[in-house]
Amino acid sequence: HHMSITLVEVLGGLALGLVLATLLGYALAKSVAVERALSPYLVASQAIPIVAVAPLLVIWFGPGLLSKVLISGLIVFFPILVNTIAGVRSVPQELRDLMRSLQATPWQVFTKLEVPAAMPVLLAGLKVGATLSVIGAVVGEFAGADAGLGFMINLADGQYDTARVFVGVLTLVVMALTLYGLVGWLERRALRWRDAGVK
């Protein structure tokens, strides 16, 4: 029961962080003006520990699912954002010039060039985000919850139930490793074209 609740929070936070980070990261990578305007605020936001923000989000959005998804999404957001920017900007200018000479539309440049070129870096960020999303959900449950693995560990710790604490911790480790493995599998599937080109 507790694992299923934490898993929903983790997947929700990972999805939220991934969508927002890739959209904003693409905008920042394509516009220097937008990057200069927003970068100081984004970097400053990372100086605030998530454990300090978590109680505020629980107070504002309640102890339910939403606050945990938001906390998990926040901790996932920045690594994926940075990797998205790096991935889009790693596209060689020669390939952009080639697409322009072929009169490719912006959508064709995006789907045929930018997405494949940025995919390796983006998936590397997603690997980091997958493990961080578990941390975010547990931090949110520590801040205030009535269910979830973080709640169970907190409760067992107060009762000096060492066995249950270990069970909760090991379940979180398995969850993080599983998510990391799934992203690794997705990476191998998505980048088969690159490996075929190398061979």
Side-chain angles (χ1 to χ4, degrees):
H1 170 66
H2 292 295
M3 184 185 71
S4 63
I5 290 173
T6 300
L7 184 60
V8 169
E9 295 166 354
V10 167
L11 294 177
L14 184 60
L16 178 65
L18 175 64
V19 170
L20 294 179
T22 50
L23 291 176
L24 183 57
Y26 186 78
L28 292 173
K30 299 292 285 186
S31 174
V32 176
V34 173
E35 183 189 17
R36 288 177 179 171
L38 296 182
S39 287
Y41 301 103
L42 293 172
V43 174
S45 69
Q46 294 307 296
I48 305 172
I50 195 68
V51 292
V53 178
L56 291 175
L57 293 176
V58 171
I59 291 171
W60 292 339
F61 297 100
L65 181 67
L66 178 59
S67 60
K68 312 308 180 300
V69 169
L70 290 174
I71 294 166
S72 183
L74 281 175
I75 202 169
V76 165
F77 176 79
F78 196 72
I80 298 179
L81 174 76
V82 171
N83 279 48
T84 302
I85 295 172
V88 174
R89 290 187 174 170
S90 68
V91 179
Q93 186 59 42
E94 295 81 6
L95 293 180
R96 292 187 183 277
D97 294 338
L98 176 62
M99 295 291 281
R100 192 178 299 112
S101 68
L102 295 173
Q103 298 181 339
T105 64
W107 177 251
Q108 288 173 325
V109 172
F110 175 74
T111 57
K112 303 295 185 183
L113 177 61
E114 291 177 336
V115 170
M119 192 63 67
V121 183
L122 177 60
L123 288 172
L126 186 58
K127 279 184 176 180
V128 177
T131 55
L132 289 177
S133 62
V134 177
I135 297 173
V138 173
V139 168
E141 290 171 353
F142 279 170
D146 55 6
L149 291 173
F151 166 79
M152 187 188 81
I153 292 170
N154 212 14
L155 183 63
D157 182 52
Q159 297 173 344
Y160 300 100
D161 189 348
T162 308
R164 185 174 293 185
V165 171
F166 273 114
V167 167
V169 171
L170 289 175
T171 305
L172 290 170
V173 170
V174 170
M175 189 181 296
L177 288 174
T178 303
L179 289 173
Y180 186 89
L182 287 173
V183 176
W185 174 82
L186 178 63
E187 182 180 37
R188 289 189 297 273
R189 296 278 295 180
L191 301 181
R192 281 186 300 180
W193 60 269
R194 185 184 64 177
D195 298 334
V198 171
K199 294 176 183 178

